[in-house]
Amino acid sequence: MPSPGLVAIAGGKYTTYRVMAADAVDAAAEFVPARVAPSITEKVPLMGADGYFALVNQTQSVGARYGLHPYRVRHLLDRYGSLIGEVLELAAERPDLLEPITEAPVYLKVEAAYAAVAEGALHLEDILARRMRISIEYPHRGVACAREVAEVVAPILGWSQADVDREVATYQARVEAEVLSQAQPDDASADALRAAAPEARAEILEPVPLT
C-alpha cells in the first residue's frame, strides 16, 4: 500500500512530462500544510535551450573551430542545444572522438563519450538504445557498432577488456531476443523471450528502502 503523502509518477514523454510534473506537484501539495506556490515548469527552458538560436546562426564558425561540417554542427545542436560546447570539449585531448561511428555514421564517437561522462550511461544498452537511439535508427540495431562504441567508453567507465566483451555479448543477446520476439505468435511467447535475455545490470533482490 502506498504511504500517505507519497506521490508516484511513471511513464510519459517529452511532450507531456511538464504537465505530468505539474499534476504530481499539485497532488503532493495536498499533503503539505504550508501554501505551495503554483508550478512554473512551463517557464523553465529545457537543458541546452538557452542560446540555441544564437548558436544556429554560428553554425559555420562553430564547424570551422572544430573541423566539422555544418551538417554535423546542426546535428549536435539539435541534440544538445547550447550544451554543444560541453560535448565537443571532450574531444580536446582526443580528436579521434570527432570521427563518425563507422556503422552508425549519423553519430560521432564523442556523443557516446558524452553519454558516459554526463548523461549517466553505465552500460552499452544505455548508450545505443536510450541516449543515441542507434538501436531504432539503424537496421542492425546497434549490433554492428557495439564493440566500437564499447571501446570508446571503456576508459571513461573503467571497463577492462573482459568488461567490453561482456557488454557487447549482452547487448547482442538482448537485440537477438528482441528480434526473435517480434516473430512470435502471441505476446506471452514474445515476453518470455525478452525476459530470458541477459541483463547488463545486476538484479536487485532486496527492496530499496524509501528513507
Side-chain angles (χ1 to χ4, degrees):
M1 293 290 292
S3 301
L6 174 65
V7 177
I9 187 169
K13 301 179 180 179
Y14 238 23
T15 52
T16 59
Y17 85 109
R18 287 185 188 268
V19 174
M20 294 173 65
D23 288 345
V25 169
D26 290 343
E30 296 179 9
F31 299 94
V32 179
R35 178 181 177 275
V36 177
S39 170
I40 61 167
T41 182
E42 65 181 21
K43 297 180 176 65
V44 179
L46 294 173
M47 291 289 290
D50 280 340
Y52 166 79
F53 292 106
L55 283 167
V56 167
N57 290 335
Q58 300 169 35
T59 296
Q60 294 284 351
S61 60
V62 173
R65 189 185 317 156
Y66 292 98
L68 294 173
H69 190 281
Y71 159 78
R72 293 288 185 190
V73 177
R74 282 303 303 267
H75 163 82
L76 293 170
L77 282 172
D78 288 345
R79 277 178 50 75
Y80 304 101
S82 57
L83 299 178
I84 186 174
E86 291 185 11
V87 180
L88 294 175
E89 183 62 28
L90 297 177
E93 296 181 4
R94 290 186 60 188
D96 61 295
L97 291 179
L98 294 181
E99 299 171 359
I101 296 171
T102 305
E103 298 299 332
V106 167
Y107 293 92
L108 300 178
K109 294 177 182 178
V110 73
E111 296 178 75
Y114 188 74
V117 168
E119 296 181 327
L122 297 176
H123 297 282
L124 196 55
E125 186 177 17
D126 296 335
I127 299 167
L128 297 175
R130 303 186 185 94
R131 304 304 188 275
M132 299 169 67
R133 301 179 69 81
I134 290 174
S135 66
I136 64 172
E137 293 177 355
Y138 283 88
H140 58 70
R141 304 193 186 203
V143 170
C145 63
R147 184 164 296 276
E148 182 178 13
V149 171
E151 296 286 357
V152 167
V153 301
I156 298 170
L157 295 174
W159 291 351
S160 65
Q161 189 57 52
D163 293 328
V164 169
D165 293 341
R166 182 177 62 254
E167 286 284 335
V168 172
T170 298
Y171 183 76
Q172 291 174 336
R174 290 187 63 79
V175 171
E176 181 180 355
E178 180 66 27
V179 171
L180 289 174
S181 74
Q182 293 171 357
Q184 298 306 302
D186 53 70
D187 289 345
S189 301
D191 288 343
L193 273 174
R194 287 191 290 265
E199 286 279 358
R201 293 166 179 78
E203 183 179 3
I204 297 176
L205 298 178
E206 299 295 330
V208 178
L210 297 177
T211 57

Short mmCIF file of all heavy atoms in Angstrom, two decimals, residues 125 141 170-171 173-200:
data_model
loop_
_atom_site.label_atom_id
_atom_site.label_comp_id
_atom_site.label_asym_id
_atom_site.label_seq_id
_atom_site.Cartn_x
_atom_site.Cartn_y
_atom_site.Cartn_z
N GLU A 125 23.85 -0.79 -23.54
CA GLU A 125 22.44 -0.64 -23.89
C GLU A 125 21.94 0.77 -23.59
O GLU A 125 21.14 1.33 -24.34
CB GLU A 125 21.59 -1.67 -23.15
CG GLU A 125 20.13 -1.66 -23.57
CD GLU A 125 19.32 -2.73 -22.87
OE1 GLU A 125 19.77 -3.27 -21.84
OE2 GLU A 125 18.22 -3.04 -23.37
N ARG A 141 20.45 -2.36 -35.59
CA ARG A 141 20.02 -2.11 -34.20
C ARG A 141 21.19 -1.88 -33.24
O ARG A 141 21.05 -2.07 -32.03
CB ARG A 141 19.13 -3.25 -33.69
CG ARG A 141 17.91 -3.49 -34.56
CD ARG A 141 16.90 -4.37 -33.89
NE ARG A 141 15.80 -4.70 -34.78
CZ ARG A 141 14.59 -5.06 -34.37
NH1 ARG A 141 14.32 -5.13 -33.09
NH2 ARG A 141 13.64 -5.37 -35.25
N THR A 170 26.26 -9.14 -24.12
CA THR A 170 24.95 -8.92 -23.50
C THR A 170 24.05 -8.12 -24.43
O THR A 170 22.87 -8.46 -24.62
CB THR A 170 25.10 -8.18 -22.16
OG1 THR A 170 25.87 -8.99 -21.27
CG2 THR A 170 23.74 -7.89 -21.54
N TYR A 171 24.59 -7.08 -25.01
CA TYR A 171 23.79 -6.25 -25.93
C TYR A 171 23.34 -7.07 -27.14
O TYR A 171 22.17 -7.00 -27.54
CB TYR A 171 24.57 -5.02 -26.38
CG TYR A 171 23.73 -4.12 -27.25
CD1 TYR A 171 22.76 -3.31 -26.69
CD2 TYR A 171 23.87 -4.12 -28.63
CE1 TYR A 171 21.96 -2.49 -27.48
CE2 TYR A 171 23.07 -3.31 -29.43
CZ TYR A 171 22.12 -2.51 -28.85
OH TYR A 171 21.31 -1.72 -29.64
N ALA A 173 22.91 -10.25 -27.36
CA ALA A 173 21.91 -11.23 -26.94
C ALA A 173 20.54 -10.57 -26.74
O ALA A 173 19.50 -11.14 -27.10
CB ALA A 173 22.35 -11.92 -25.66
N ARG A 174 20.52 -9.37 -26.21
CA ARG A 174 19.26 -8.68 -25.98
C ARG A 174 18.61 -8.26 -27.31
O ARG A 174 17.39 -8.33 -27.46
CB ARG A 174 19.47 -7.47 -25.07
CG ARG A 174 19.80 -7.88 -23.63
CD ARG A 174 19.83 -6.70 -22.69
NE ARG A 174 18.54 -6.04 -22.57
CZ ARG A 174 17.54 -6.48 -21.83
NH1 ARG A 174 17.65 -7.62 -21.15
NH2 ARG A 174 16.42 -5.81 -21.75
N VAL A 175 19.43 -7.81 -28.25
CA VAL A 175 18.88 -7.47 -29.57
C VAL A 175 18.35 -8.72 -30.26
O VAL A 175 17.26 -8.69 -30.85
CB VAL A 175 19.96 -6.79 -30.44
CG1 VAL A 175 19.47 -6.65 -31.88
CG2 VAL A 175 20.30 -5.42 -29.88
N GLU A 176 19.09 -9.81 -30.18
CA GLU A 176 18.63 -11.06 -30.80
C GLU A 176 17.30 -11.50 -30.20
O GLU A 176 16.38 -11.92 -30.92
CB GLU A 176 19.68 -12.15 -30.60
CG GLU A 176 19.30 -13.49 -31.24
CD GLU A 176 20.35 -14.56 -31.04
OE1 GLU A 176 21.42 -14.26 -30.50
OE2 GLU A 176 20.09 -15.71 -31.43
N ALA A 177 17.17 -11.39 -28.87
CA ALA A 177 15.92 -11.77 -28.22
C ALA A 177 14.78 -10.88 -28.67
O ALA A 177 13.65 -11.34 -28.90
CB ALA A 177 16.08 -11.70 -26.70
N GLU A 178 15.04 -9.58 -28.82
CA GLU A 178 14.01 -8.64 -29.27
C GLU A 178 13.57 -8.97 -30.69
O GLU A 178 12.37 -8.96 -31.01
CB GLU A 178 14.54 -7.22 -29.19
CG GLU A 178 13.56 -6.15 -29.63
CD GLU A 178 12.36 -6.04 -28.72
OE1 GLU A 178 12.47 -6.38 -27.52
OE2 GLU A 178 11.29 -5.61 -29.20
N VAL A 179 14.53 -9.26 -31.56
CA VAL A 179 14.20 -9.60 -32.95
C VAL A 179 13.38 -10.88 -33.01
O VAL A 179 12.36 -10.95 -33.71
CB VAL A 179 15.49 -9.75 -33.79
CG1 VAL A 179 15.16 -10.30 -35.18
CG2 VAL A 179 16.20 -8.40 -33.93
N LEU A 180 13.79 -11.88 -32.26
CA LEU A 180 13.05 -13.15 -32.26
C LEU A 180 11.66 -12.98 -31.66
O LEU A 180 10.70 -13.60 -32.11
CB LEU A 180 13.83 -14.20 -31.46
CG LEU A 180 15.12 -14.72 -32.11
CD1 LEU A 180 15.87 -15.64 -31.14
CD2 LEU A 180 14.81 -15.46 -33.41
N SER A 181 11.55 -12.11 -30.65
CA SER A 181 10.25 -11.91 -30.01
C SER A 181 9.22 -11.34 -30.98
O SER A 181 8.02 -11.61 -30.86
CB SER A 181 10.39 -10.98 -28.79
OG SER A 181 10.57 -9.63 -29.19
N GLN A 182 9.68 -10.57 -31.94
CA GLN A 182 8.77 -9.94 -32.89
C GLN A 182 8.21 -10.92 -33.91
O GLN A 182 7.31 -10.57 -34.68
CB GLN A 182 9.50 -8.78 -33.58
CG GLN A 182 9.82 -7.65 -32.62
CD GLN A 182 10.72 -6.60 -33.20
OE1 GLN A 182 11.18 -6.72 -34.35
NE2 GLN A 182 11.01 -5.55 -32.46
N ALA A 183 8.75 -12.12 -33.92
CA ALA A 183 8.26 -13.14 -34.84
C ALA A 183 7.39 -14.17 -34.12
O ALA A 183 6.95 -15.15 -34.74
CB ALA A 183 9.43 -13.85 -35.52
N GLN A 184 7.12 -13.95 -32.83
CA GLN A 184 6.33 -14.91 -32.06
C GLN A 184 4.83 -14.74 -32.33
O GLN A 184 4.37 -13.65 -32.66
CB GLN A 184 6.61 -14.75 -30.57
CG GLN A 184 8.06 -15.02 -30.19
CD GLN A 184 8.53 -16.37 -30.68
OE1 GLN A 184 7.95 -17.41 -30.34
NE2 GLN A 184 9.57 -16.37 -31.52
N PRO A 185 4.07 -15.80 -32.17
CA PRO A 185 2.63 -15.75 -32.50
C PRO A 185 1.77 -15.05 -31.45
O PRO A 185 0.62 -14.71 -31.71
CB PRO A 185 2.24 -17.22 -32.61
CG PRO A 185 3.21 -17.93 -31.69
CD PRO A 185 4.50 -17.17 -31.82
N ASP A 186 2.30 -14.84 -30.25
CA ASP A 186 1.50 -14.21 -29.21
C ASP A 186 2.39 -13.44 -28.25
O ASP A 186 3.62 -13.60 -28.22
CB ASP A 186 0.68 -15.25 -28.43
CG ASP A 186 1.55 -16.37 -27.89
OD1 ASP A 186 2.33 -16.09 -26.96
OD2 ASP A 186 1.48 -17.50 -28.41
N ASP A 187 1.77 -12.56 -27.45
CA ASP A 187 2.52 -11.70 -26.54
C ASP A 187 3.25 -12.49 -25.46
O ASP A 187 4.35 -12.12 -25.06
CB ASP A 187 1.57 -10.70 -25.88
CG ASP A 187 1.08 -9.64 -26.85
OD1 ASP A 187 1.66 -9.52 -27.94
OD2 ASP A 187 0.08 -8.96 -26.52
N ALA A 188 2.63 -13.56 -24.98
CA ALA A 188 3.26 -14.33 -23.91
C ALA A 188 4.58 -14.94 -24.37
O ALA A 188 5.58 -14.90 -23.64
CB ALA A 188 2.31 -15.44 -23.44
N SER A 189 4.59 -15.48 -25.58
CA SER A 189 5.82 -16.06 -26.11
C SER A 189 6.88 -14.99 -26.33
O SER A 189 8.06 -15.19 -26.04
CB SER A 189 5.54 -16.78 -27.44
OG SER A 189 4.59 -17.80 -27.27
N ALA A 190 6.46 -13.84 -26.83
CA ALA A 190 7.40 -12.74 -27.06
C ALA A 190 7.98 -12.24 -25.75
O ALA A 190 9.19 -12.01 -25.64
CB ALA A 190 6.69 -11.61 -27.81
N ASP A 191 7.14 -12.08 -24.73
CA ASP A 191 7.60 -11.60 -23.43
C ASP A 191 8.58 -12.59 -22.80
O ASP A 191 9.56 -12.19 -22.16
CB ASP A 191 6.42 -11.38 -22.49
CG ASP A 191 5.59 -10.16 -22.88
OD1 ASP A 191 6.10 -9.33 -23.66
OD2 ASP A 191 4.44 -10.06 -22.40
N ALA A 192 8.32 -13.89 -22.98
CA ALA A 192 9.20 -14.91 -22.41
C ALA A 192 10.59 -14.83 -23.02
O ALA A 192 11.60 -14.97 -22.33
CB ALA A 192 8.60 -16.29 -22.63
N LEU A 193 10.67 -14.59 -24.31
CA LEU A 193 11.97 -14.47 -24.98
C LEU A 193 12.73 -13.25 -24.47
O LEU A 193 13.93 -13.33 -24.18
CB LEU A 193 11.78 -14.37 -26.49
CG LEU A 193 11.69 -15.67 -27.28
CD1 LEU A 193 11.34 -15.38 -28.73
CD2 LEU A 193 13.01 -16.42 -27.20
N ARG A 194 12.04 -12.14 -24.36
CA ARG A 194 12.70 -10.93 -23.90
C ARG A 194 13.16 -11.07 -22.45
O ARG A 194 14.24 -10.61 -22.08
CB ARG A 194 11.79 -9.73 -24.06
CG ARG A 194 11.60 -9.27 -25.51
CD ARG A 194 10.92 -7.93 -25.58
NE ARG A 194 9.53 -8.02 -25.19
CZ ARG A 194 8.51 -8.16 -26.04
NH1 ARG A 194 8.74 -8.22 -27.35
NH2 ARG A 194 7.27 -8.22 -25.62
N ALA A 195 12.33 -11.70 -21.63
CA ALA A 195 12.66 -11.86 -20.21
C ALA A 195 13.85 -12.78 -20.01
O ALA A 195 14.59 -12.65 -19.02
CB ALA A 195 11.45 -12.39 -19.45
N ALA A 196 14.06 -13.71 -20.93
CA ALA A 196 15.16 -14.66 -20.81
C ALA A 196 16.50 -14.08 -21.23
O ALA A 196 17.55 -14.66 -20.96
CB ALA A 196 14.85 -15.91 -21.65
N ALA A 197 16.48 -12.93 -21.89
CA ALA A 197 17.73 -12.31 -22.34
C ALA A 197 18.53 -11.83 -21.14
O ALA A 197 17.96 -11.43 -20.13
CB ALA A 197 17.43 -11.14 -23.28
N PRO A 198 19.85 -11.88 -21.22
CA PRO A 198 20.68 -11.42 -20.09
C PRO A 198 20.53 -9.93 -19.84
O PRO A 198 20.26 -9.16 -20.76
CB PRO A 198 22.11 -11.76 -20.54
CG PRO A 198 22.03 -11.80 -22.04
CD PRO A 198 20.66 -12.32 -22.36
N GLU A 199 20.70 -9.54 -18.59
CA GLU A 199 20.61 -8.14 -18.19
C GLU A 199 22.00 -7.59 -17.95
O GLU A 199 22.85 -8.26 -17.36
CB GLU A 199 19.79 -8.00 -16.90
CG GLU A 199 18.29 -8.19 -17.09
CD GLU A 199 17.61 -6.93 -17.63
OE1 GLU A 199 18.31 -5.91 -17.80
OE2 GLU A 199 16.40 -7.00 -17.86
N ALA A 200 22.24 -6.35 -18.37
CA ALA A 200 23.53 -5.72 -18.11
C ALA A 200 23.67 -5.37 -16.63
O ALA A 200 24.76 -5.41 -16.07
CB ALA A 200 23.68 -4.47 -18.97
#
